[in-house]
Structure formats: structure tokens, C-alpha cells
Amino acid sequence: MIEFNNLNQEIPYLLLKEKYDKAVNAGQEGIEAIVISSFNNDINEVDSRFVNLKFIKNDEFIFFSNYKSPKAIAFNSHNQIAALIYWSSTNIQIRMKAKIKKTSHEFNQKYFFDRSEEKNALAISSNQSKEIDSYNQVKENYNKSLKNDNLRKCPEYWGGYSFTPYYFEFWEGHESRINKREIFEKIDGVWKQSIIQP
Ligand SMILES: Cc1cc2nc3c(=O)[nH]c(=O)nc-3n(C[C@H](O)[C@H](O)[C@H](O)COP(=O)(O)O)c2cc1C
């Protein structure tokens, strides 16, 4: 589930919440899964991966990850991202564009403190996306961390990312194929609303 805190009251956020509630009521699984696409300026590559969206705090979308991972390196080189949600239970796609930044260490520490020790042991012990000899080695590193590390202390190399979209597309699929597409684009601080063709 996504935690909504003090949700921004502008139209795209209210629409997002309305569509989220419908998907929850329709029993959507993995509702917090969101695709984040990045561009690494140093190697000229675009990449995508799912993460779990944990919070929408006013107008900020927040997920957590490893700050040394390939995605982190891409965000450092180029802070533009695209984000993508698909809720199959209601046939809704939401496309977003934004700039991304890290959340504060204080925020990360607070969040980390309240997480399960098992999750934290993995966050501490995994050198995310780096090659390793075997899956067994992954499990050994995890077990060592579970036994030996301070599982309440957030490491510097782990934390949140926050983005505030300046562009939303809400795509609503219809059986007739007459799909509805609504765009919200923030220009000079004002949301410009339009309909585009399917
Ligand atoms: C549904 C789903 C949720 C995921 N959530 C996260 C997440 O919240 N944070 C994270 O770092 N990786 C998450 N992952 C793993 C990422 O997709 C990815 O494998 C990992 O972050 C490494 O990505 P990178 O090499 O591009 O940095 C998730 C994977 C799936 C399938």
C-alpha cells in the first residue's frame, strides 16, 4: 500500500487518489509497484526498473533504494526520470515526468528505524546490482548482517528518493478501445489540462 500524507489538493493528485482508491477496492495486487526510468548521461543509456512507492507526501513521491546502485549513479548523472504505474484491476495507466532527488538522512534514519530487522539486514548487506560469486554468498552476507550489524542504524549508502511530477497522463482503458487520455502539465506553476487521442 502507498501511504498518503497531507495530500496535495491540486487536480492531478486528487485524480490519482481517486484512481488509487478504485484499484484498492478492486483488489489490485502490488499496488505500490511503480516503474522508474532513468538516463545515465555518462554511458548514454536509458534503463527501467520497478520499485515500491512508499509515500505520497503532499506532492512528493517517495521510494527507497541503494545510493550506490546503477539507478543512483544514473540519477546523479541526470536527474530527469519517467515514472509509470499500471493497475490491471481497473485498467489504468499513469505516466509521469519529474526531476528526482535524495531525501534527507534524518528522514531515511527515521524510516529505517521503524522497518523490520530482516529488511534492514538486506539493505545493509547487499551491494545492490554488483556481481557476486553465488546466491549462497548473498545469503551468507545477509545472515552475517542479521547477527552482527546495528539493524536500526541507516547506512549512508541507503535511503529515499523523492520526485514531484510536472507532467501526468491518466490513461483509462475501455473495452471499445475508445481509451480516455487526460494530460496535466505544470507550466509556470499552473496545471494545463488537455485531452489527447487514444
Ligand atoms: C515489484 C518490485 C518492487 C521493487 N521495489 C524495489 C525498491 O523499492 N527499491 C529497490 O531498490 N529495488 C526494488 N526492486 C528491485 C529493482 O527492480 C531493481 O532490481 C534494483 O533496485 C536494482 O536496480 P538498478 O540496478 O537499476 O539500480 C523491486 C522489484 C520489483 C519487481
mmCIF file of all heavy atoms in Angstrom, residues 7-45:
data_model
loop_
_atom_site.group_PDB
_atom_site.id
_atom_site.type_symbol
_atom_site.label_atom_id
_atom_site.label_comp_id
_atom_site.label_asym_id
_atom_site.label_seq_id
_atom_site.Cartn_x
_atom_site.Cartn_y
_atom_site.Cartn_z
ATOM 1 N N LEU A 7 -2.045 15.029 1.491
ATOM 2 C CA LEU A 7 -2.012 15.013 0.023
ATOM 3 C C LEU A 7 -2.287 16.395 -0.572
ATOM 4 O O LEU A 7 -3.200 17.099 -0.159
ATOM 5 C CB LEU A 7 -3.044 14.011 -0.510
ATOM 6 C CG LEU A 7 -3.037 13.825 -2.024
ATOM 7 C CD1 LEU A 7 -1.762 13.123 -2.477
ATOM 8 C CD2 LEU A 7 -4.252 13.030 -2.483
ATOM 9 N N ASN A 8 -1.475 16.750 -1.551
ATOM 10 C CA ASN A 8 -1.672 17.981 -2.314
ATOM 11 C C ASN A 8 -3.100 17.984 -2.885
ATOM 12 O O ASN A 8 -3.586 16.949 -3.341
ATOM 13 C CB ASN A 8 -0.633 17.993 -3.447
ATOM 14 C CG ASN A 8 -0.606 19.300 -4.172
ATOM 15 O OD1 ASN A 8 -1.505 19.600 -4.943
ATOM 16 N ND2 ASN A 8 0.421 20.092 -3.941
ATOM 17 N N GLN A 9 -3.747 19.139 -2.853
ATOM 18 C CA GLN A 9 -5.163 19.188 -3.247
ATOM 19 C C GLN A 9 -5.368 19.651 -4.687
ATOM 20 O O GLN A 9 -6.490 19.955 -5.098
ATOM 21 C CB GLN A 9 -5.947 20.083 -2.273
ATOM 22 C CG GLN A 9 -6.002 19.525 -0.853
ATOM 23 C CD GLN A 9 -6.736 18.180 -0.771
ATOM 24 O OE1 GLN A 9 -7.917 18.102 -1.043
ATOM 25 N NE2 GLN A 9 -6.024 17.110 -0.402
ATOM 26 N N GLU A 10 -4.292 19.703 -5.475
ATOM 27 C CA GLU A 10 -4.452 20.066 -6.881
ATOM 28 C C GLU A 10 -5.026 18.873 -7.658
ATOM 29 O O GLU A 10 -4.897 17.720 -7.236
ATOM 30 C CB GLU A 10 -3.096 20.512 -7.455
ATOM 31 C CG GLU A 10 -2.653 21.829 -6.829
ATOM 32 C CD GLU A 10 -1.220 22.236 -7.151
ATOM 33 O OE1 GLU A 10 -0.496 21.482 -7.821
ATOM 34 O OE2 GLU A 10 -0.822 23.324 -6.689
ATOM 35 N N ILE A 11 -5.655 19.202 -8.830
ATOM 36 C CA ILE A 11 -6.465 18.189 -9.527
ATOM 37 C C ILE A 11 -5.735 16.869 -9.813
ATOM 38 O O ILE A 11 -6.279 15.807 -9.539
ATOM 39 C CB ILE A 11 -7.059 18.740 -10.855
ATOM 40 C CG1 ILE A 11 -7.912 19.966 -10.575
ATOM 41 C CG2 ILE A 11 -7.938 17.692 -11.532
ATOM 42 C CD1 ILE A 11 -8.425 20.624 -11.852
ATOM 43 N N PRO A 12 -4.505 16.882 -10.356
ATOM 44 C CA PRO A 12 -3.911 15.577 -10.680
ATOM 45 C C PRO A 12 -3.710 14.673 -9.461
ATOM 46 O O PRO A 12 -3.832 13.452 -9.569
ATOM 47 C CB PRO A 12 -2.562 15.931 -11.314
ATOM 48 C CG PRO A 12 -2.435 17.392 -11.301
ATOM 49 C CD PRO A 12 -3.685 18.006 -10.828
ATOM 50 N N TYR A 13 -3.444 15.276 -8.305
ATOM 51 C CA TYR A 13 -3.258 14.470 -7.094
ATOM 52 C C TYR A 13 -4.594 13.884 -6.615
ATOM 53 O O TYR A 13 -4.655 12.744 -6.160
ATOM 54 C CB TYR A 13 -2.594 15.296 -5.983
ATOM 55 C CG TYR A 13 -1.156 15.591 -6.323
ATOM 56 C CD1 TYR A 13 -0.813 16.742 -7.021
ATOM 57 C CD2 TYR A 13 -0.148 14.691 -6.004
ATOM 58 C CE1 TYR A 13 0.497 16.994 -7.380
ATOM 59 C CE2 TYR A 13 1.160 14.935 -6.358
ATOM 60 C CZ TYR A 13 1.480 16.078 -7.052
ATOM 61 O OH TYR A 13 2.775 16.313 -7.418
ATOM 62 N N LEU A 14 -5.655 14.680 -6.734
ATOM 63 C CA LEU A 14 -6.972 14.181 -6.321
ATOM 64 C C LEU A 14 -7.424 13.058 -7.256
ATOM 65 O O LEU A 14 -7.990 12.054 -6.820
ATOM 66 C CB LEU A 14 -7.997 15.324 -6.313
ATOM 67 C CG LEU A 14 -7.676 16.454 -5.323
ATOM 68 C CD1 LEU A 14 -8.718 17.562 -5.416
ATOM 69 C CD2 LEU A 14 -7.591 15.925 -3.881
ATOM 70 N N LEU A 15 -7.116 13.234 -8.552
ATOM 71 C CA LEU A 15 -7.466 12.217 -9.546
ATOM 72 C C LEU A 15 -6.681 10.921 -9.274
ATOM 73 O O LEU A 15 -7.230 9.815 -9.346
ATOM 74 C CB LEU A 15 -7.123 12.771 -10.934
ATOM 75 C CG LEU A 15 -7.877 12.214 -12.122
ATOM 76 C CD1 LEU A 15 -9.374 12.245 -11.909
ATOM 77 C CD2 LEU A 15 -7.507 13.007 -13.387
ATOM 78 N N LEU A 16 -5.408 11.084 -8.955
ATOM 79 C CA LEU A 16 -4.568 9.928 -8.657
ATOM 80 C C LEU A 16 -5.129 9.162 -7.451
ATOM 81 O O LEU A 16 -5.239 7.936 -7.475
ATOM 82 C CB LEU A 16 -3.135 10.394 -8.365
ATOM 83 C CG LEU A 16 -2.189 9.274 -7.992
ATOM 84 C CD1 LEU A 16 -1.163 9.073 -9.096
ATOM 85 C CD2 LEU A 16 -1.482 9.529 -6.698
ATOM 86 N N LYS A 17 -5.537 9.916 -6.425
ATOM 87 C CA LYS A 17 -6.054 9.273 -5.214
ATOM 88 C C LYS A 17 -7.373 8.548 -5.507
ATOM 89 O O LYS A 17 -7.611 7.437 -5.027
ATOM 90 C CB LYS A 17 -6.240 10.334 -4.120
ATOM 91 C CG LYS A 17 -6.731 9.791 -2.788
ATOM 92 C CD LYS A 17 -5.725 8.838 -2.146
ATOM 93 C CE LYS A 17 -5.983 8.555 -0.686
ATOM 94 N NZ LYS A 17 -7.255 7.951 -0.387
ATOM 95 N N GLU A 18 -8.191 9.192 -6.337
ATOM 96 C CA GLU A 18 -9.482 8.586 -6.708
ATOM 97 C C GLU A 18 -9.234 7.255 -7.443
ATOM 98 O O GLU A 18 -9.874 6.237 -7.154
ATOM 99 C CB GLU A 18 -10.211 9.583 -7.617
ATOM 100 C CG GLU A 18 -11.607 9.206 -8.015
ATOM 101 C CD GLU A 18 -12.118 10.182 -9.088
ATOM 102 O OE1 GLU A 18 -12.074 11.411 -8.858
ATOM 103 O OE2 GLU A 18 -12.537 9.694 -10.168
ATOM 104 N N LYS A 19 -8.261 7.250 -8.356
ATOM 105 C CA LYS A 19 -7.966 6.041 -9.135
ATOM 106 C C LYS A 19 -7.298 4.975 -8.253
ATOM 107 O O LYS A 19 -7.520 3.785 -8.434
ATOM 108 C CB LYS A 19 -7.106 6.393 -10.351
ATOM 109 C CG LYS A 19 -7.893 7.284 -11.323
ATOM 110 C CD LYS A 19 -7.248 7.448 -12.648
ATOM 111 C CE LYS A 19 -7.983 8.444 -13.529
ATOM 112 N NZ LYS A 19 -9.261 7.953 -14.060
ATOM 113 N N TYR A 20 -6.490 5.451 -7.306
ATOM 114 C CA TYR A 20 -5.847 4.529 -6.358
ATOM 115 C C TYR A 20 -6.919 3.816 -5.516
ATOM 116 O O TYR A 20 -6.900 2.596 -5.376
ATOM 117 C CB TYR A 20 -4.891 5.326 -5.460
ATOM 118 C CG TYR A 20 -4.253 4.511 -4.360
ATOM 119 C CD1 TYR A 20 -3.128 3.740 -4.612
ATOM 120 C CD2 TYR A 20 -4.777 4.517 -3.064
ATOM 121 C CE1 TYR A 20 -2.547 2.987 -3.608
ATOM 122 C CE2 TYR A 20 -4.206 3.768 -2.058
ATOM 123 C CZ TYR A 20 -3.081 3.004 -2.333
ATOM 124 O OH TYR A 20 -2.508 2.252 -1.332
ATOM 125 N N ASP A 21 -7.874 4.598 -4.989
ATOM 126 C CA ASP A 21 -8.930 4.014 -4.149
ATOM 127 C C ASP A 21 -9.738 2.984 -4.937
ATOM 128 O O ASP A 21 -10.100 1.926 -4.411
ATOM 129 C CB ASP A 21 -9.859 5.112 -3.603
ATOM 130 C CG ASP A 21 -9.162 5.968 -2.542
ATOM 131 O OD1 ASP A 21 -8.130 5.515 -2.001
ATOM 132 O OD2 ASP A 21 -9.634 7.090 -2.272
ATOM 133 N N LYS A 22 -10.011 3.284 -6.208
ATOM 134 C CA LYS A 22 -10.768 2.338 -7.046
ATOM 135 C C LYS A 22 -9.982 1.042 -7.228
ATOM 136 O O LYS A 22 -10.545 -0.055 -7.164
ATOM 137 C CB LYS A 22 -11.035 2.959 -8.433
ATOM 138 C CG LYS A 22 -12.311 3.773 -8.476
ATOM 139 C CD LYS A 22 -12.702 4.084 -9.921
ATOM 140 C CE LYS A 22 -13.771 5.162 -9.920
ATOM 141 N NZ LYS A 22 -13.733 6.008 -11.097
ATOM 142 N N ALA A 23 -8.672 1.175 -7.455
ATOM 143 C CA ALA A 23 -7.831 -0.014 -7.655
ATOM 144 C C ALA A 23 -7.748 -0.829 -6.356
ATOM 145 O O ALA A 23 -7.784 -2.063 -6.391
ATOM 146 C CB ALA A 23 -6.443 0.397 -8.138
ATOM 147 N N VAL A 24 -7.669 -0.148 -5.197
ATOM 148 C CA VAL A 24 -7.663 -0.852 -3.906
ATOM 149 C C VAL A 24 -8.967 -1.630 -3.759
ATOM 150 O O VAL A 24 -8.968 -2.823 -3.436
ATOM 151 C CB VAL A 24 -7.517 0.137 -2.718
ATOM 152 C CG1 VAL A 24 -7.776 -0.562 -1.387
ATOM 153 C CG2 VAL A 24 -6.128 0.766 -2.713
ATOM 154 N N ASN A 25 -10.079 -0.960 -4.045
ATOM 155 C CA ASN A 25 -11.387 -1.618 -3.909
ATOM 156 C C ASN A 25 -11.547 -2.787 -4.875
ATOM 157 O O ASN A 25 -12.286 -3.723 -4.595
ATOM 158 C CB ASN A 25 -12.523 -0.610 -4.113
ATOM 159 C CG ASN A 25 -12.607 0.349 -2.940
ATOM 160 O OD1 ASN A 25 -12.185 0.014 -1.830
ATOM 161 N ND2 ASN A 25 -13.110 1.557 -3.172
ATOM 162 N N ALA A 26 -10.846 -2.715 -6.004
ATOM 163 C CA ALA A 26 -10.921 -3.803 -6.991
ATOM 164 C C ALA A 26 -9.907 -4.907 -6.664
ATOM 165 O O ALA A 26 -9.736 -5.844 -7.442
ATOM 166 C CB ALA A 26 -10.679 -3.250 -8.385
ATOM 167 N N GLY A 27 -9.205 -4.780 -5.523
ATOM 168 C CA GLY A 27 -8.288 -5.836 -5.063
ATOM 169 C C GLY A 27 -6.958 -5.864 -5.795
ATOM 170 O O GLY A 27 -6.316 -6.916 -5.880
ATOM 171 N N GLN A 28 -6.519 -4.709 -6.294
ATOM 172 C CA GLN A 28 -5.241 -4.651 -7.028
ATOM 173 C C GLN A 28 -4.079 -5.178 -6.175
ATOM 174 O O GLN A 28 -3.855 -4.700 -5.068
ATOM 175 C CB GLN A 28 -4.953 -3.204 -7.441
ATOM 176 C CG GLN A 28 -3.648 -3.030 -8.203
ATOM 177 C CD GLN A 28 -3.659 -3.748 -9.539
ATOM 178 O OE1 GLN A 28 -4.621 -3.624 -10.296
ATOM 179 N NE2 GLN A 28 -2.624 -4.513 -9.817
ATOM 180 N N GLU A 29 -3.349 -6.150 -6.712
ATOM 181 C CA GLU A 29 -2.145 -6.624 -6.020
ATOM 182 C C GLU A 29 -0.953 -5.776 -6.437
ATOM 183 O O GLU A 29 -0.928 -5.248 -7.546
ATOM 184 C CB GLU A 29 -1.886 -8.085 -6.378
ATOM 185 C CG GLU A 29 -2.842 -8.998 -5.640
ATOM 186 C CD GLU A 29 -2.579 -10.468 -5.908
ATOM 187 O OE1 GLU A 29 -1.463 -10.806 -6.345
ATOM 188 O OE2 GLU A 29 -3.513 -11.244 -5.673
ATOM 189 N N GLY A 30 0.020 -5.679 -5.558
ATOM 190 C CA GLY A 30 1.252 -4.948 -5.879
ATOM 191 C C GLY A 30 0.963 -3.514 -6.265
ATOM 192 O O GLY A 30 1.605 -2.944 -7.145
ATOM 193 N N ILE A 31 0.020 -2.912 -5.565
ATOM 194 C CA ILE A 31 -0.455 -1.573 -5.963
ATOM 195 C C ILE A 31 0.645 -0.504 -5.843
ATOM 196 O O ILE A 31 0.592 0.525 -6.501
ATOM 197 C CB ILE A 31 -1.713 -1.190 -5.167
ATOM 198 C CG1 ILE A 31 -2.469 -0.073 -5.866
ATOM 199 C CG2 ILE A 31 -1.391 -0.843 -3.715
ATOM 200 C CD1 ILE A 31 -3.905 0.081 -5.432
ATOM 201 N N GLU A 32 1.665 -0.775 -5.003
ATOM 202 C CA GLU A 32 2.721 0.224 -4.807
ATOM 203 C C GLU A 32 3.831 0.110 -5.852
ATOM 204 O O GLU A 32 4.764 0.924 -5.851
ATOM 205 C CB GLU A 32 3.308 0.129 -3.390
ATOM 206 C CG GLU A 32 3.981 -1.187 -3.035
ATOM 207 C CD GLU A 32 3.006 -2.332 -2.727
ATOM 208 O OE1 GLU A 32 1.810 -2.072 -2.488
ATOM 209 O OE2 GLU A 32 3.439 -3.495 -2.772
ATOM 210 N N ALA A 33 3.749 -0.883 -6.734
ATOM 211 C CA ALA A 33 4.825 -1.062 -7.731
ATOM 212 C C ALA A 33 4.768 0.052 -8.776
ATOM 213 O O ALA A 33 3.711 0.360 -9.327
ATOM 214 C CB ALA A 33 4.678 -2.422 -8.405
ATOM 215 N N ILE A 34 5.914 0.640 -9.016
ATOM 216 C CA ILE A 34 5.994 1.750 -9.969
ATOM 217 C C ILE A 34 7.307 1.589 -10.748
ATOM 218 O O ILE A 34 8.329 1.209 -10.175
ATOM 219 C CB ILE A 34 5.911 3.109 -9.227
ATOM 220 C CG1 ILE A 34 5.942 4.290 -10.199
ATOM 221 C CG2 ILE A 34 6.972 3.288 -8.174
ATOM 222 C CD1 ILE A 34 5.583 5.632 -9.524
ATOM 223 N N VAL A 35 7.254 1.823 -12.049
ATOM 224 C CA VAL A 35 8.474 1.733 -12.865
ATOM 225 C C VAL A 35 9.146 3.101 -12.888
ATOM 226 O O VAL A 35 8.479 4.120 -13.121
ATOM 227 C CB VAL A 35 8.147 1.308 -14.318
ATOM 228 C CG1 VAL A 35 9.405 1.347 -15.179
ATOM 229 C CG2 VAL A 35 7.537 -0.079 -14.338
ATOM 230 N N ILE A 36 10.436 3.104 -12.629
ATOM 231 C CA ILE A 36 11.208 4.344 -12.720
ATOM 232 C C ILE A 36 12.217 4.182 -13.857
ATOM 233 O O ILE A 36 13.031 3.251 -13.847
ATOM 234 C CB ILE A 36 11.983 4.622 -11.399
ATOM 235 C CG1 ILE A 36 11.040 4.661 -10.194
ATOM 236 C CG2 ILE A 36 12.807 5.908 -11.516
ATOM 237 C CD1 ILE A 36 10.085 5.828 -10.147
ATOM 238 N N SER A 37 12.147 5.069 -14.822
ATOM 239 C CA SER A 37 13.103 5.051 -15.932
ATOM 240 C C SER A 37 14.078 6.204 -15.751
ATOM 241 O O SER A 37 13.683 7.314 -15.387
ATOM 242 C CB SER A 37 12.382 5.205 -17.272
ATOM 243 O OG SER A 37 11.482 4.132 -17.428
ATOM 244 N N SER A 38 15.353 5.884 -16.007
ATOM 245 C CA SER A 38 16.406 6.876 -15.799
ATOM 246 C C SER A 38 17.271 6.951 -17.050
ATOM 247 O O SER A 38 17.233 6.056 -17.901
ATOM 248 C CB SER A 38 17.276 6.441 -14.615
ATOM 249 O OG SER A 38 17.773 5.126 -14.855
ATOM 250 N N PHE A 39 18.056 8.002 -17.107
ATOM 251 C CA PHE A 39 19.030 8.131 -18.193
ATOM 252 C C PHE A 39 20.404 8.344 -17.575
ATOM 253 O O PHE A 39 20.581 9.259 -16.775
ATOM 254 C CB PHE A 39 18.669 9.313 -19.094
ATOM 255 C CG PHE A 39 19.694 9.562 -20.165
ATOM 256 C CD1 PHE A 39 19.897 8.644 -21.175
ATOM 257 C CD2 PHE A 39 20.472 10.710 -20.154
ATOM 258 C CE1 PHE A 39 20.854 8.853 -22.163
ATOM 259 C CE2 PHE A 39 21.429 10.944 -21.140
ATOM 260 C CZ PHE A 39 21.616 10.002 -22.146
ATOM 261 N N ASN A 40 21.345 7.481 -17.925
ATOM 262 C CA ASN A 40 22.720 7.682 -17.449
ATOM 263 C C ASN A 40 23.489 8.432 -18.532
ATOM 264 O O ASN A 40 23.778 7.892 -19.598
ATOM 265 C CB ASN A 40 23.374 6.332 -17.127
ATOM 266 C CG ASN A 40 24.760 6.517 -16.535
ATOM 267 O OD1 ASN A 40 25.512 7.405 -16.954
ATOM 268 N ND2 ASN A 40 25.103 5.696 -15.557
ATOM 269 N N ASN A 41 23.782 9.657 -18.212
ATOM 270 C CA ASN A 41 24.423 10.584 -19.148
ATOM 271 C C ASN A 41 25.852 10.160 -19.496
ATOM 272 O O ASN A 41 26.355 10.473 -20.572
ATOM 273 C CB ASN A 41 24.448 11.958 -18.467
ATOM 274 C CG ASN A 41 24.483 13.080 -19.451
ATOM 275 O OD1 ASN A 41 24.001 12.950 -20.568
ATOM 276 N ND2 ASN A 41 25.064 14.191 -19.042
ATOM 277 N N ASP A 42 26.513 9.436 -18.568
ATOM 278 C CA ASP A 42 27.918 9.072 -18.782
ATOM 279 C C ASP A 42 28.062 7.939 -19.794
ATOM 280 O O ASP A 42 29.029 7.879 -20.533
ATOM 281 C CB ASP A 42 28.578 8.653 -17.451
ATOM 282 C CG ASP A 42 28.498 9.781 -16.432
ATOM 283 O OD1 ASP A 42 28.531 10.962 -16.866
ATOM 284 O OD2 ASP A 42 28.358 9.505 -15.227
ATOM 285 N N ILE A 43 27.066 7.021 -19.800
ATOM 286 C CA ILE A 43 27.169 5.895 -20.736
ATOM 287 C C ILE A 43 26.069 5.940 -21.798
ATOM 288 O O ILE A 43 25.931 5.013 -22.593
ATOM 289 C CB ILE A 43 27.139 4.533 -19.988
ATOM 290 C CG1 ILE A 43 25.894 4.420 -19.083
ATOM 291 C CG2 ILE A 43 28.406 4.338 -19.171
ATOM 292 C CD1 ILE A 43 25.714 3.040 -18.465
ATOM 293 N N ASN A 44 25.302 7.029 -21.790
ATOM 294 C CA ASN A 44 24.261 7.216 -22.813
ATOM 295 C C ASN A 44 23.255 6.079 -22.863
ATOM 296 O O ASN A 44 22.928 5.586 -23.941
ATOM 297 C CB ASN A 44 24.905 7.321 -24.195
ATOM 298 C CG ASN A 44 24.885 8.748 -24.675
ATOM 299 O OD1 ASN A 44 24.075 9.562 -24.209
ATOM 300 N ND2 ASN A 44 25.765 9.063 -25.594
ATOM 301 N N GLU A 45 22.783 5.643 -21.679
ATOM 302 C CA GLU A 45 21.818 4.540 -21.649
ATOM 303 C C GLU A 45 20.584 4.900 -20.843
ATOM 304 O O GLU A 45 20.680 5.519 -19.785
ATOM 305 C CB GLU A 45 22.448 3.296 -21.002
ATOM 306 C CG GLU A 45 23.128 2.390 -21.983
ATOM 307 C CD GLU A 45 23.545 1.065 -21.357
ATOM 308 O OE1 GLU A 45 23.260 0.823 -20.168
ATOM 309 O OE2 GLU A 45 24.182 0.287 -22.082
#
